[in-house]
């Protein structure tokens, strides 16, 4: 009889602890990811606005040089387009080989005079990017940041949360076994 009560109590404790750990893992992981993505977008927006300012005032460097320098400084891909969507300069590709960018969501907003952003998977590389574009005279500029690093860190955080939850579950299980 005592053994049956012990195992019932232990099972109830185990279920409550497992449910609590799972809820904490999901809620903390989601909150952390949302916070990180918001911070990356804010940071990339600031860098894009600085990039746009440089395009407006720098008359000593070519657009290709500016795109290369700004892309390297931002740790992102830098693109400059004209008002029709034609790529004038890109930090990682030859503009002549690139398609028209006027229909891209972030550029649509930038060509309308606003700062625009979008997140999508690159058809070329197959990884997700965060794109932020800002208007400049006669066109727009854009920085594209690969989110694969965020996904790798997110996986690492989830692993750590799982290990922490497993350790907490084990400790709670020992305490529950002693208490029951």
């Amino acid at each position: 009889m005592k053994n049956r009560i012990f195992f019932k109590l232990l099972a109830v404790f185990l279920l409550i602890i497992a449910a609590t750990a799972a809820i904490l893992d999901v809620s903390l992981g989601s909150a952390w990811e949302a916070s990180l993505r918001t911070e990356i977008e804010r940071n990339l927006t600031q860098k894009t606005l600085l990039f746009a300012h440089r395009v407006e005032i720098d008359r000593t460097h070519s657009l290709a040089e500016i795109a290369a320098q700004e892309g390297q400084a931002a740790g992102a891909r830098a693109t400059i387009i004209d008002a029709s969507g034609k790529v004038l300069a890109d930090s990682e590709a030859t503009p002549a080989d690139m398609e028209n960018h006027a229909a891209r969501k972030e550029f649509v907003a930038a060509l309308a005079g606003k700062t625009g952003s979008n997140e999508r998977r690159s058809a070329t590389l197959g990884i997700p990017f965060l794109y932020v574009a800002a208007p400049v005279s006669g066109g727009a500029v854009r920085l594209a940041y690969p989110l694969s690093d965020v996904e790798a860190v997110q996986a690492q955080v989830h692993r750590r949360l799982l290990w922490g939850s497993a350790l907490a579950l084990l400790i709670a299980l020992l305490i529950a076994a002693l208490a029951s």
Side-chain angles (χ1 to χ4, degrees):
M1 181 76 171
K2 278 187 174 182
N3 280 343
R4 226 186 309 176
I5 293 173
F6 168 77
F7 285 117
K8 284 182 181 180
L9 281 174
L10 201 56
V12 169
F13 282 137
L14 192 63
L15 285 173
I16 291 170
I17 293 165
T20 303
I23 290 168
L24 283 175
D25 282 352
V26 170
S27 61
L28 287 176
S30 297
W32 175 84
E33 181 186 354
S35 173
L36 180 61
R37 284 182 184 267
T38 300
E39 181 61 25
I40 288 170
E41 185 169 354
R42 186 187 64 75
N43 188 21
L44 194 62
T45 299
Q46 288 176 341
K47 289 178 181 180
T48 304
L49 293 172
L50 290 171
F51 177 25
H53 180 69
R54 180 165 178 209
V55 168
E56 294 283 7
I57 65 167
D58 189 341
R59 300 293 172 233
T60 60
H61 296 92
S62 70
L63 292 179
E65 290 172 324
I66 294 171
Q69 291 168 0
E70 292 297 318
Q72 185 176 20
R77 182 176 182 174
T79 306
I80 304 170
I81 66 165
D82 68 12
S84 70
K86 177 184 174 194
V87 177
L88 302 174
D90 189 89
S91 62
E92 297 181 18
T94 306
D97 297 338
M98 298 176 71
E99 62 188 32
N100 189 291
H101 282 41
R104 306 268 169 96
K105 185 178 175 183
E106 67 278 5
F107 276 129
V108 169
L111 292 173
K114 302 174 190 148
T115 301
S117 67
N118 190 22
E119 186 178 316
R120 67 178 175 273
R121 193 164 291 278
S122 166
T124 308
L125 301 174
I127 59 173
F129 275 85
L130 173 62
Y131 299 93
V132 176
V136 294
S137 299
V141 299
R142 176 186 73 189
L143 289 177
Y145 182 79
L147 294 175
S148 56
D149 294 342
V150 174
E151 289 179 344
V153 171
Q154 180 184 356
Q156 183 181 8
V157 166
H158 281 295
R159 275 194 305 279
R160 287 187 179 184
L161 283 171
L162 275 172
W163 279 110
S165 295
L167 180 61
L169 188 64
L170 179 64
I171 291 169
L173 184 62
L174 290 173
I175 292 170
L178 291 172
S180 63

